[in-house]
Amino acid sequence: MMTANEIRDSYKKFFESKQHAIVPSAPMVIKDDPTLMFTNAGMNQWKDIILGTRDPEPRRRADTQKCLRVSGKHNDLEEVGHDTYHHTMFEMLGNWSFGDYFKEGAIDMAWEYLVDVLKLNPKDLYVTVFEGSPEENIPRDDEAAKYWAKHVPEDHIINGNKHDNFWEMGDTGPCGPCSEIHVDSRTPEQKAASGKSGRELVNQDDPQVIEIWNLVFMQFNRKADGSLEKLSMNVIDTGMGFERLVRMMQGKHSNYDTDVFQPIIKAEQQITGLKYYTFEEETVNPISKEQDDINVAMRVCADHLRAVSFSIADGQLPSNAKAGYVIRRILRRAVRYAYTFLGQKDGFLHKLVPTLVAEMGDAFPELKAQQQLITKVIKEEEDSFLRTLEKGIGMLNDAMDKLKAEGKTELDGVQAFRLFDTYGFPLDLTELICRENGFTVNEEQFNVEMQKQKERARNAAAVENSDWVELAQGEQQFVGYDYTEYECHIMRYRKVTQKKNEFYELVLDYTPFYGEMGGQVGDCGVICNEAETIDIIDTKRENGQSVHIVKALPKDPSAQFMACVDTDKRNASAANHTATHLLDYALKQILGDHVEQKGSFVSPDTLRFDFSHFEKVTDEQIREVERMVNDMIRQDIHIDEHRDVPFDEAKKLGAIALFGEKYGDKVRVVRFGPSCEFCGGIHASSTGRIGFFKIISESSVAAGIRRIEAKTGKECEELLYQTEDMLKAVKAFFNNAKDLQGVIKKYIDEHDSMKKEIEGFQAQAVERAAKQLVEKARDINGVKVVSAVLPMNPAAAKDLAFKIRAAVDKSLLCVLGTHADNKPQLSIMMSDDMVSDHGLNAGQMVREAAKLIQGGGGGQPHFAQAGGKNADGLSAAVDKVIELAKL
Ligand code: ATP
Ligand code: MG
């Protein structure tokens, strides 16, 4: 039986033998595309080639791609664990042809691989072809059907509708019909019992008759008005689910029974002491509802462990925004299942990391390299969510107590939604806990709230793009490494509407403008000619090109322009970027080789650098880093830049590549003395231009990740002036004393001893007052009533009240009206028998009486206080309390 690793290799080998370039997986986390957070299909990394903005050579490629389907168009999250063939993270095997072979080649190769190489039984394979769409005037894909007919009998070819068999990149852009290969993996017994043919079960959500490979034939381009035109280059894009293929090859009926997941599931069984039932075991031995819950939970945890670990290795940590939030949600889903069904009240997932790394670390070295970080981040997230979970359960218990007291049995949906929103309790968990306690949940209301939130999110995110207006064809040339001004023409432009804001995006044929990427902000500036000047307010990067953002179009878009970058801002950004490289280098020298960049932000006025390190960077270390960087600045090291270096050669140069970054075949290497990195950013021509470097803050952003913020050059100068001005002002307070530190220390010492002395006097005064007040106490029907209005601060008043209680332990009602700085305060203190025998409540009384001092407060039954605004009302308030006591 082939192992998963052997199957992965055989795929690559097969397509290599068909002249495909075998390329590495792109990162699962996408950093520079505003439209997509995670790779959800193999084709994502080829988008620019398909759109025609990147060189298509080599025209045949194949790979295995890490994919994540938990957000946006493809979201399988809710299925995962409940079924046995959808994962959050999975590998997609793919092969591509960019203007090379088309339908026939793709179909022949897929068939040859599955049947001749892997020896899958053709009787179990079914294929689908697009049935056509009369309203769009697209005929049935007879072409594909004809090529399939070379390999399979007619009754294994099935027509499919637009939903299943017509693929579109987005609302606009490349699209075309597709053909899916489905497998019937039922056991002979199942086939016999069902009485249905595999053909009847294709696309019917039968867990044993599933799609494994999708061959997409891109031949159209959809325009914004919905119409289709022919694509200039036909593209083949295929995707096969690796875990599903392994399952077929290993004769299993669940992806989780293969060697991709079994080692993790074994570890889960060991830790929890519970058993997992494989498909075979379940068949022999039907399982209970409880056991099924355990099975589902184990699958959820095994699956989510992979998604979360791979994403952390790719540099995306759990957080409360965007991609980070998606990862946090996946992790929390696993924690909930482990908590509810596997009895794991402490962090569980992080204990499985060693098994995952042992199994997949060879194929994906990023896992091995970052095992420590992955474990630490997961554990911290688990711990913090388990605390939240407990709080949420507390809140739910309170709510149920209240319902019980009111004689109700239904939790309202608004409350259930709040649990979902703040504590991450999905409806099923709330329902489960409620059901266990004999309550139901108003699901309808919950859904209404959910819908409302979705709408809010949609309105906030709505972006509308018009079609590109093409003025010229071709690829954009970026000239920004060498120039800040350049002659140019507009090649295409389009209008974008975002939250009622309108702007235009321009693509120039030649541009010196750097588009935001790798943490460095985009350039701004102008394009101008004799007739007009247009401000460029920002530059973004899209599909490998700089896209310039303008508020208004030029009157004549086809004219020639001069593109001019704002060089003050550009130079400041460049200096900060270079300083970031020096900082990275110095941190590795001083803290150690485990330091790895985890994020970076570079703008004209600041730089921010996130890196892996497991404790606080000490003040001394910060100084050392600053000294090292400033030393390198004074050496005025010249930039040593290598463009278009083949990837492997760049590595030989010693350049630092980041895990989780996407690099082309050719890369740029930037070296300043000993610092050497892969980098596409804009840099200072020499380190001296940075001027000076100063770290402003060091903090923690997540478990195992530290953040340094720093400033350079002119910003540092301003900082120095501010500090100087502040010091001058402080000196002036102390008559410009020479020994400023000594003088301040003396003041503090004096202040401390005076404070002590005052506290001593106060304590004596309170003591005396207590004695006098108790002596003067009135007796009303056997109750000792102590009351007074006197000047005193709130702390002393509290002290006084407790002293009086200590002196009179029975039948005491003490009411104090005190004031300090014209602020009144009312305090009520009683002995315990006044509460138990007289049924009095100081909290209620103080609230009522405080109205007379225009204030409010509360407290315990025997002691309560209230502050107010009207000191003149104190004496009336004191009388009111005595009246309320009805002695
Ligand atoms: P399905 O209908 O089974 O959800 P799909 O139509 O979403 O599949 P495609 O988008 O065509 O699938 O993706 C190509 C291949 O990737 C599929 O044929 C399948 O083998 C695999 N695949 C898709 N989604 C998942 C998933 N969530 N987990 C594992 N494999 C998947
Ligand atoms: Mg799907």
Side-chain angles (χ1 to χ4, degrees), residues 76-254:
D76 293 333
L77 186 61
E78 291 312 315
E79 266 77 54
V80 174
H82 292 275
D83 78 15
T84 54
Y85 61 107
H86 280 97
H87 305 295
T88 54
M89 184 233 149
F90 64 99
E91 286 180 65
M92 196 187 280
L93 304 169
N95 57 286
W96 288 272
S97 156
F98 305 114
D100 191 328
Y101 61 84
F102 201 44
K103 293 182 192 180
E104 183 169 23
I107 288 171
D108 286 350
M109 281 185 236
W111 193 260
E112 185 182 340
Y113 180 61
L114 292 181
V115 175
D116 298 340
V117 178
L118 296 184
K119 311 270 184 254
L120 289 183
N121 185 352
K123 287 208 176 83
D124 290 331
L125 300 179
Y126 295 85
V127 299
T128 61
V129 298
F130 181 45
E131 65 187 5
S133 160
E135 71 262 31
E136 294 223 46
N137 213 2
I138 316 172
R140 173 177 187 260
D141 195 356
D142 288 334
E143 216 186 333
K146 182 176 87 193
Y147 300 130
W148 282 122
K150 294 201 292 185
H151 307 289
V152 294
E154 273 304 325
D155 65 348
H156 279 232
I157 303 175
I158 300 162
N159 280 345
N161 60 21
K162 213 168 135 185
H163 172 73
D164 288 321
N165 284 81
F166 196 84
W167 183 91
E168 312 221 16
M169 187 185 271
D171 295 339
T172 58
C175 56
C178 60
S179 256
E180 301 162 342
I181 304 175
H182 293 252
V183 294
D184 179 358
S185 71
R186 291 175 297 167
T187 59
E189 296 79 38
Q190 280 179 323
K191 283 180 186 164
S194 109
K196 280 190 177 167
S197 69
R199 180 189 172 93
E200 289 168 273
L201 294 173
V202 164
N203 274 332
Q204 299 302 317
D205 289 330
D206 186 301
Q208 298 304 332
V209 183
I210 58 175
E211 176 192 330
I212 62 165
W213 203 346
N214 193 354
L215 316 182
V216 180
F217 314 126
M218 279 178 231
Q219 56 190 117
F220 303 113
N221 181 39
R222 179 160 321 264
K223 299 174 46 172
D225 65 6
S227 64
L228 295 174
E229 62 186 11
K230 235 179 101 43
L231 206 58
S232 54
M233 166 180 77
N234 283 343
V235 171
I236 286 294
D237 156 34
T238 86
M240 170 154 60
F242 172 66
E243 296 77 7
R244 295 186 188 178
L245 179 66
V246 172
R247 148 183 172 174
M248 290 305 297
M249 290 301 295
Q250 300 186 347
K252 304 290 183 196
H253 301 273
S254 155

Side-chain angles (χ1 to χ4, degrees), residues 729-748:
V730 174
K731 270 190 180 156
F733 284 138
F734 297 95
N735 296 324
N736 294 317
K738 275 218 184 66
D739 175 17
L740 185 59
Q741 287 185 35
V743 174
I744 293 179
K745 176 86 174 61
K746 204 174 114 214
Y747 264 84
I748 291 173

Side-chain angles (χ1 to χ4, degrees), residues 413-486:
V414 180
Q415 217 154 0
F417 183 76
R418 193 175 318 132
L419 274 165
F420 165 78
D421 208 27
T422 9
Y423 297 105
F425 275 46
L427 188 60
D428 59 4
L429 180 69
T430 305
E431 279 180 330
L432 182 86
I433 299 174
C434 281
R435 204 173 325 126
E436 282 169 2
N437 291 281
F439 294 96
T440 56
V441 180
N442 187 327
E443 227 173 284
E444 225 164 275
Q445 245 174 2
F446 177 92
N447 290 333
V448 169
E449 292 298 310
M450 186 72 132
Q451 207 49 42
K452 276 195 216 156
Q453 195 195 43
K454 278 197 180 138
E455 241 139 66
R456 282 195 295 272
R458 206 179 3 251
N459 289 340
V463 181
E464 244 176 74
N465 295 329
S466 321
D467 277 333
W468 287 103
V469 177
E470 300 257 0
L471 301 179
Q473 296 270 325
E475 246 180 271
Q476 177 189 70
Q477 296 293 317
F478 174 64
V479 296
Y481 293 140
D482 304 306
Y483 301 93
T484 53
E485 295 190 359
Y486 213 85

